[in-house]
Protein backbone atom coordinates (compact mmCIF):
# COMPACT_ATOMS: atom_id res chain seq x y z
CA UNK A 1 0.00 0.00 0.00
CA UNK A 2 2.61 2.52 -1.05
CA UNK A 3 1.87 3.98 -4.47
CA UNK A 4 -0.47 6.89 -5.20
CA UNK A 5 -2.97 4.87 -7.22
CA UNK A 6 -3.61 2.50 -4.34
CA UNK A 7 -4.15 5.39 -1.95
CA UNK A 8 -6.64 6.87 -4.41
CA UNK A 9 -8.46 3.55 -4.58
CA UNK A 10 -9.02 3.44 -0.86
CA UNK A 11 -12.59 4.34 0.19
CA UNK A 12 -12.57 7.06 2.84
CA UNK A 13 -15.60 7.76 5.01
CA UNK A 14 -15.80 11.37 6.23
CA UNK A 15 -17.73 12.60 9.25
CA UNK A 16 -17.79 15.81 11.27
CA UNK A 17 -16.63 19.41 10.77
CA UNK A 18 -15.46 20.65 7.34
CA UNK A 19 -16.10 17.26 5.73
CA UNK A 20 -18.52 18.36 2.99
CA UNK A 21 -16.00 20.73 1.31
CA UNK A 22 -13.30 18.13 1.98
CA UNK A 23 -15.33 15.52 0.08
CA UNK A 24 -15.80 17.88 -2.88
CA UNK A 25 -12.10 18.77 -2.99
CA UNK A 26 -10.96 15.14 -2.81
CA UNK A 27 -13.47 13.91 -5.37
CA UNK A 28 -12.32 16.63 -7.76
CA UNK A 29 -8.85 15.07 -7.53
CA UNK A 30 -10.04 11.53 -8.12
CA UNK A 31 -10.29 10.22 -4.55
CA UNK A 32 -12.95 7.76 -3.46
CA UNK A 33 -14.83 9.34 -0.55
CA UNK A 34 -18.27 9.32 1.05
CA UNK A 35 -19.98 11.31 3.80
CA UNK A 36 -21.12 9.52 6.95
CA UNK A 37 -24.00 10.98 8.97
CA UNK A 38 -23.34 12.56 12.35
CA UNK A 39 -25.18 10.20 14.68
CA UNK A 40 -24.90 8.40 18.01
CA UNK A 41 -26.21 5.22 16.33
CA UNK A 42 -23.93 4.35 13.40
CA UNK A 43 -24.50 1.20 11.35
CA UNK A 44 -22.06 -1.35 9.99
CA UNK A 45 -23.90 -1.13 6.66
CA UNK A 46 -22.73 2.47 6.16
CA UNK A 47 -19.06 1.51 6.46
CA UNK A 48 -19.12 -1.88 4.79
CA UNK A 49 -17.30 -0.46 1.73
CA UNK A 50 -15.08 1.96 3.71
CA UNK A 51 -11.36 1.41 4.33
CA UNK A 52 -10.61 4.51 6.45
CA UNK A 53 -12.88 6.53 8.73
CA UNK A 54 -11.75 10.14 8.91
CA UNK A 55 -13.51 12.17 11.59
CA UNK A 56 -12.98 15.90 12.03
CA UNK A 57 -14.20 17.10 15.46
CA UNK A 58 -14.09 14.26 17.96
CA UNK A 59 -17.55 14.87 19.47
CA UNK A 60 -19.16 14.43 16.03
CA UNK A 61 -17.26 11.29 15.13
CA UNK A 62 -16.52 9.22 18.24
CA UNK A 63 -19.28 6.67 17.64
CA UNK A 64 -17.93 5.99 14.15
CA UNK A 65 -14.42 5.41 15.52
CA UNK A 66 -15.82 2.78 17.88
CA UNK A 67 -17.89 1.12 15.16
CA UNK A 68 -15.01 1.36 12.71
CA UNK A 69 -12.57 -0.54 14.90
CA UNK A 70 -15.17 -3.24 15.53
CA UNK A 71 -15.38 -3.57 11.75
CA UNK A 72 -11.56 -3.59 11.49
CA UNK A 73 -11.34 -0.25 9.68
CA UNK A 74 -8.52 2.29 9.96
CA UNK A 75 -9.47 5.43 11.92
CA UNK A 76 -8.18 9.01 11.85
CA UNK A 77 -9.33 11.79 14.18
CA UNK A 78 -8.69 15.42 13.22
CA UNK A 79 -8.95 17.68 16.28
CA UNK A 80 -10.00 21.17 15.20
CA UNK A 81 -10.28 23.30 18.37
CA UNK A 82 -13.52 23.23 20.35
CA UNK A 83 -13.32 19.45 20.65
CA UNK A 84 -9.96 19.57 22.42
CA UNK A 85 -11.28 22.28 24.75
CA UNK A 86 -14.24 20.08 25.67
CA UNK A 87 -11.94 17.08 26.18
CA UNK A 88 -9.94 19.12 28.69
CA UNK A 89 -12.64 21.06 30.55
CA UNK A 90 -15.91 19.15 30.28
CA UNK A 91 -16.13 16.21 32.73
CA UNK A 92 -18.40 14.08 30.52
CA UNK A 93 -16.22 14.72 27.44
CA UNK A 94 -13.06 13.90 29.40
CA UNK A 95 -14.42 10.45 30.21
CA UNK A 96 -15.70 9.97 26.66
CA UNK A 97 -12.33 10.94 25.20
CA UNK A 98 -10.41 8.64 27.54
CA UNK A 99 -12.58 5.66 26.63
CA UNK A 100 -13.02 6.12 22.89
CA UNK A 101 -9.66 7.58 21.88
CA UNK A 102 -8.31 4.01 22.12
CA UNK A 103 -10.32 3.25 18.96
CA UNK A 104 -8.39 5.86 16.94
CA UNK A 105 -5.30 4.81 14.99
CA UNK A 106 -3.94 8.31 14.38
CA UNK A 107 -4.75 11.64 16.02
CA UNK A 108 -4.24 14.79 13.93
CA UNK A 109 -4.15 18.32 15.38
CA UNK A 110 -5.07 21.36 13.31
CA UNK A 111 -2.32 23.46 14.96
CA UNK A 112 0.62 23.28 17.36
CA UNK A 113 -1.61 24.72 20.07
CA UNK A 114 -4.09 21.84 19.75
CA UNK A 115 -1.20 19.34 19.64
CA UNK A 116 0.06 20.74 22.97
CA UNK A 117 -3.40 20.53 24.53
CA UNK A 118 -3.85 16.94 23.42
CA UNK A 119 -0.42 16.05 24.80
CA UNK A 120 -1.56 17.37 28.18
CA UNK A 121 -4.25 14.68 28.26
CA UNK A 122 -1.92 11.95 27.00
CA UNK A 123 -2.78 11.99 23.30
CA UNK A 124 0.06 12.08 20.77
CA UNK A 125 -0.83 13.78 17.50
CA UNK A 126 0.48 14.99 14.14
CA UNK A 127 -0.07 18.61 13.08
CA UNK A 128 -2.00 19.12 9.85
CA UNK A 129 -4.11 22.14 8.90
CA UNK A 130 -7.38 20.97 7.32
CA UNK A 131 -6.77 22.63 3.93
CA UNK A 132 -8.66 25.18 1.81
CA UNK A 133 -9.51 24.32 -1.78
CA UNK A 134 -9.20 27.85 -3.17
CA UNK A 135 -6.63 29.50 -5.38
CA UNK A 136 -4.53 32.50 -4.26
CA UNK A 137 -5.15 35.81 -6.00
CA UNK A 138 -4.24 39.44 -5.56
CA UNK A 139 -7.36 41.51 -4.84
CA UNK A 140 -6.97 45.26 -4.41
CA UNK A 141 -7.72 46.57 -0.93
CA UNK A 142 -11.01 48.46 -0.55
CA UNK A 143 -11.08 52.28 -0.68
CA UNK A 144 -12.42 52.22 2.88
CA UNK A 145 -10.66 49.58 4.95
CA UNK A 146 -12.73 47.06 6.89
CA UNK A 147 -12.28 44.15 9.29
CA UNK A 148 -14.02 40.77 9.21
CA UNK A 149 -15.08 39.12 12.49
CA UNK A 150 -16.71 35.72 13.04
CA UNK A 151 -18.89 34.83 16.04
CA UNK A 152 -21.89 32.63 16.82
CA UNK A 153 -24.93 33.11 19.04
CA UNK A 154 -24.50 32.13 22.69
CA UNK A 155 -20.70 32.00 22.23
CA UNK A 156 -20.05 35.72 22.03
CA UNK A 157 -17.59 35.57 24.91
CA UNK A 158 -15.57 32.76 23.30
CA UNK A 159 -15.21 34.81 20.13
CA UNK A 160 -14.44 38.05 21.96
CA UNK A 161 -17.36 40.01 20.51
CA UNK A 162 -17.34 42.72 23.18
CA UNK A 163 -13.60 43.23 22.69
CA UNK A 164 -14.12 43.92 19.01
CA UNK A 165 -17.01 46.28 19.75
CA UNK A 166 -14.69 48.15 22.11
CA UNK A 167 -11.99 48.35 19.44
CA UNK A 168 -14.52 49.59 16.88
CA UNK A 169 -15.42 52.51 19.15
CA UNK A 170 -11.80 53.46 19.76
CA UNK A 171 -10.78 53.05 16.12
CA UNK A 172 -13.70 54.13 13.95
CA UNK A 173 -11.68 54.85 10.78
CA UNK A 174 -12.67 51.48 9.33
CA UNK A 175 -15.83 49.37 9.00
CA UNK A 176 -16.39 46.10 10.87
CA UNK A 177 -18.25 43.22 9.20
CA UNK A 178 -19.56 40.42 11.45
CA UNK A 179 -20.49 36.98 10.12
CA UNK A 180 -21.52 33.55 11.45
CA UNK A 181 -24.66 34.44 13.46
CA UNK A 182 -28.35 34.07 12.63
CA UNK A 183 -30.13 37.04 14.23
CA UNK A 184 -28.64 40.01 12.38
CA UNK A 185 -31.41 42.36 13.55
CA UNK A 186 -30.76 41.55 17.21
CA UNK A 187 -27.08 42.46 17.05
CA UNK A 188 -27.62 45.48 14.83
CA UNK A 189 -29.97 46.90 17.44
CA UNK A 190 -27.85 45.82 20.40
CA UNK A 191 -24.68 47.37 19.00
CA UNK A 192 -26.02 50.27 16.98
CA UNK A 193 -23.07 52.03 15.38
CA UNK A 194 -22.55 53.41 11.88
CA UNK A 195 -19.39 51.41 11.16
CA UNK A 196 -20.76 48.02 12.31
CA UNK A 197 -22.43 45.57 9.90
CA UNK A 198 -23.94 42.29 11.12
CA UNK A 199 -24.26 40.13 8.00
CA UNK A 200 -24.96 36.66 9.40
CA UNK A 201 -24.19 33.94 6.85
CA UNK A 202 -22.70 35.17 3.59
CA UNK A 203 -20.55 33.98 0.70
CA UNK A 204 -17.01 34.92 1.71
CA UNK A 205 -15.97 35.21 -1.93
CA UNK A 206 -18.21 38.27 -2.15
CA UNK A 207 -16.59 39.88 0.90
CA UNK A 208 -12.85 39.74 0.22
CA UNK A 209 -12.89 42.87 -1.94
CA UNK A 210 -14.56 44.77 0.92
CA UNK A 211 -12.25 43.84 3.78
CA UNK A 212 -8.57 44.28 4.60
CA UNK A 213 -8.09 42.14 7.70
CA UNK A 214 -9.63 39.30 9.70
CA UNK A 215 -9.65 39.79 13.48
CA UNK A 216 -9.84 36.86 15.94
CA UNK A 217 -9.53 37.78 19.62
CA UNK A 218 -10.85 34.54 21.03
CA UNK A 219 -10.68 32.65 24.31
CA UNK A 220 -9.70 29.50 22.40
CA UNK A 221 -8.98 28.58 18.78
CA UNK A 222 -7.56 25.86 16.56
CA UNK A 223 -6.52 27.33 13.23
CA UNK A 224 -9.50 29.14 11.64
CA UNK A 225 -9.92 28.55 7.90
CA UNK A 226 -11.15 32.11 7.50
CA UNK A 227 -7.73 33.45 8.44
CA UNK A 228 -5.89 31.15 6.06
CA UNK A 229 -8.25 32.02 3.23
CA UNK A 230 -7.63 35.69 4.04
CA UNK A 231 -3.92 35.10 3.32
CA UNK A 232 -4.80 33.71 -0.10
CA UNK A 233 -6.54 36.97 -1.02
CA UNK A 234 -3.74 39.21 0.21
CA UNK A 235 -5.55 40.06 3.44
CA UNK A 236 -4.11 40.24 6.94
CA UNK A 237 -5.08 38.31 10.08
CA UNK A 238 -4.89 39.65 13.63
CA UNK A 239 -5.04 37.00 16.34
CA UNK A 240 -4.27 36.67 20.04
CA UNK A 241 -2.43 33.38 19.53
CA UNK A 242 0.83 33.24 17.53
CA UNK A 243 -0.26 31.07 14.61
CA UNK A 244 1.75 31.12 11.35
CA UNK A 245 1.22 34.31 9.37
CA UNK A 246 -0.85 36.22 11.92
CA UNK A 247 -0.21 39.66 13.35
CA UNK A 248 0.04 38.68 17.02
CA UNK A 249 -1.89 41.02 19.36
CA UNK A 250 -3.04 40.46 22.91
CA UNK A 251 -4.42 43.86 23.93
CA UNK A 252 -6.99 46.15 22.33
CA UNK A 253 -4.32 48.83 22.03
CA UNK A 254 -2.11 46.47 20.03
CA UNK A 255 -5.01 45.65 17.71
CA UNK A 256 -5.72 49.34 17.11
CA UNK A 257 -2.04 50.03 16.45
CA UNK A 258 -1.89 47.27 13.84
CA UNK A 259 -5.17 48.32 12.21
CA UNK A 260 -3.85 51.85 11.89
CA UNK A 261 -0.66 50.49 10.33
CA UNK A 262 -2.63 48.47 7.75
CA UNK A 263 -4.63 51.56 6.81
CA UNK A 264 -1.57 53.82 6.55
CA UNK A 265 0.56 51.37 4.53
CA UNK A 266 -2.40 50.39 2.30
CA UNK A 267 -0.63 47.35 0.79
CA UNK A 268 -2.00 43.87 0.18
CA UNK A 269 -0.46 41.05 2.21
CA UNK A 270 2.03 39.58 -0.27
CA UNK A 271 3.67 37.46 2.44
CA UNK A 272 0.27 35.98 3.22
CA UNK A 273 -0.27 34.93 -0.40
CA UNK A 274 3.16 33.28 -0.47
CA UNK A 275 2.52 31.53 2.86
CA UNK A 276 -0.79 30.18 1.59
CA UNK A 277 0.84 28.82 -1.57
CA UNK A 278 3.66 27.17 0.37
CA UNK A 279 1.81 25.84 3.42
CA UNK A 280 -1.99 25.96 3.18
CA UNK A 281 -3.05 25.21 -0.37
CA UNK A 282 -5.28 22.12 -0.48
CA UNK A 283 -2.71 20.15 -2.45
CA UNK A 284 -0.23 20.67 0.43
CA UNK A 285 -2.81 19.27 2.84
CA UNK A 286 -3.47 16.32 0.55
CA UNK A 287 0.21 15.39 0.23
CA UNK A 288 0.55 15.24 4.02
CA UNK A 289 -2.76 13.43 4.38
CA UNK A 290 -1.64 10.74 1.91
CA UNK A 291 1.53 10.14 3.93
CA UNK A 292 -0.56 9.65 7.06
CA UNK A 293 -2.79 7.17 5.22
CA UNK A 294 0.21 5.23 3.90
CA UNK A 295 1.62 4.99 7.40
CA UNK A 296 -1.60 3.32 8.53
CA UNK A 297 -0.72 0.37 6.27
CA UNK A 298 3.04 0.26 6.79
Amino acid sequence: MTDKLKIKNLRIGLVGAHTKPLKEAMEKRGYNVKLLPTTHFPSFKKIKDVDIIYGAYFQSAWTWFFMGKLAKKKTLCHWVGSDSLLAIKNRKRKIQTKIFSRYIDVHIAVSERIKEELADIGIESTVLFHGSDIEPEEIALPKKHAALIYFTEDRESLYGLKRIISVSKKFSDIDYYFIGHFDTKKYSELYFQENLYFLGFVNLEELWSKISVVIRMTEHDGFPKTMVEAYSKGRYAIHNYPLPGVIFCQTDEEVIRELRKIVEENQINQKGIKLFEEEFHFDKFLNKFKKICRNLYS
Side-chain angles (χ1 to χ4, degrees):
M1 190 65 64
T2 57
D3 65 52
K4 293 181 181 179
L5 287 177
K6 287 185 178 179
I7 292 292
K8 276 194 172 183
N9 288 338
L10 290 174
R11 189 73 187 272
I12 302 172
L14 308 173
V15 60
H18 309 297
T19 48
K20 185 176 180 180
L22 178 61
K23 176 179 182 289
E24 293 170 356
M26 293 185 74
E27 283 182 334
K28 188 166 72 176
R29 291 162 175 82
Y31 286 82
N32 193 0
V33 293
K34 67 182 288 187
L35 286 180
L36 301 173
T38 300
T39 175
H40 289 309
F41 304 100
S43 71
F44 283 111
K45 186 177 179 180
K46 292 282 186 181
I47 56 173
K48 185 178 180 180
D49 61 343
V50 165
D51 299 293
I52 298 174
I53 295 174
Y54 170 93
Y57 192 88
F58 178 79
Q59 276 73 39
S60 295
W62 66 271
T63 52
W64 286 108
F65 297 138
F66 174 66
M67 185 69 74
K69 291 318 293 179
L70 290 181
K72 298 182 179 180
K73 310 295 182 179
K74 303 294 185 181
T75 53
L76 299 172
C77 180
H78 207 151
W79 296 80
V80 296
S82 298
D83 46 2
S84 65
L85 184 63
L86 285 170
I88 293 167
K89 295 193 173 183
N90 182 287
R91 184 174 178 273
K92 177 182 176 182
R93 298 303 187 188
K94 279 183 183 179
I95 297 170
Q96 184 186 68
T97 302
K98 187 174 182 179
I99 294 173
F100 290 98
S101 62
R102 70 185 68 180
Y103 300 106
I104 298 167
D105 292 315
V106 175
H107 294 271
I108 306 169
V110 76
S111 68
E112 288 290 343
R113 178 183 193 176
I114 303 304
K115 178 182 175 71
E116 292 166 3
E117 291 179 350
L118 292 175
D120 287 342
I121 57 174
I123 295 176
E124 183 180 344
S125 61
T126 298
V127 175
L128 175 60
F129 176 72
H130 35 55
S132 287
D133 189 25
I134 56 177
E135 294 302 320
E137 58 181 320
E138 293 188 15
I139 302 176
L141 293 176
K143 290 182 179 179
K144 183 176 183 182
H145 291 270
L148 182 70
I149 303 96
Y150 175 89
F151 78 92
T152 63
E153 272 102 339
D154 302 322
R155 304 187 82 185
E156 295 91 345
S157 178
L158 174 67
Y159 289 104
L161 177 59
K162 288 186 177 180
R163 290 192 65 179
I164 305 301
I165 299 299
S166 176
V167 166
S168 74
K169 291 177 180 178
K170 296 173 184 175
F171 189 70
S172 57
D173 295 8
I174 69 172
D175 289 330
Y176 297 80
Y177 294 109
F178 297 85
I179 62 171
H181 49 284
F182 287 99
D183 197 341
T184 58
K185 182 180 178 182
K186 167 188 169 183
Y187 292 103
S188 296
E189 293 175 350
L190 185 61
Y191 300 109
F192 180 73
Q193 203 172 301
E194 285 188 0
N195 63 335
L196 303 185
Y197 299 88
F198 292 91
L199 306 178
F201 291 91
V202 296
N203 182 354
L204 268 180
E205 289 302 312
E206 298 173 1
L207 270 185
W208 292 124
S209 63
K210 299 179 181 179
I211 67 112
S212 313
V213 57
V214 172
I215 305 177
R216 299 274 293 204
M217 301 299 286
T218 57
E219 293 179 354
H220 186 272
D221 242 329
F223 203 145
K225 290 185 76 173
T226 306
M227 294 198 316
V228 171
E229 292 177 2
Y231 300 158
S232 77
K233 308 304 178 184
R235 273 42 185 166
Y236 299 88
I238 291 174
H239 195 23
N240 57 333
Y241 189 80
L243 295 168
V246 306
I247 300 171
F248 178 50
C249 296
Q250 290 188 302
T251 67
D252 293 356
E253 290 70 28
E254 288 172 336
V255 173
I256 292 168
R257 181 193 68 208
E258 295 300 331
L259 288 175
R260 185 174 288 113
K261 185 177 178 182
I262 289 170
V263 171
E264 290 174 352
E265 293 184 353
N266 198 34
Q267 299 291 325
I268 68 171
N269 184 8
Q270 293 284 0
K271 290 183 179 179
I273 294 174
K274 184 178 180 182
L275 180 63
F276 179 85
E277 290 174 334
E278 294 177 350
E279 298 292 335
F280 299 118
H281 191 280
F282 189 81
D283 290 337
K284 301 293 183 180
F285 159 83
L286 199 53
N287 286 337
K288 294 176 183 177
F289 181 74
K290 286 189 291 187
K291 289 179 182 177
I292 292 171
C293 290
R294 289 192 191 103
N295 289 338
L296 286 172
Y297 292 90
S298 61

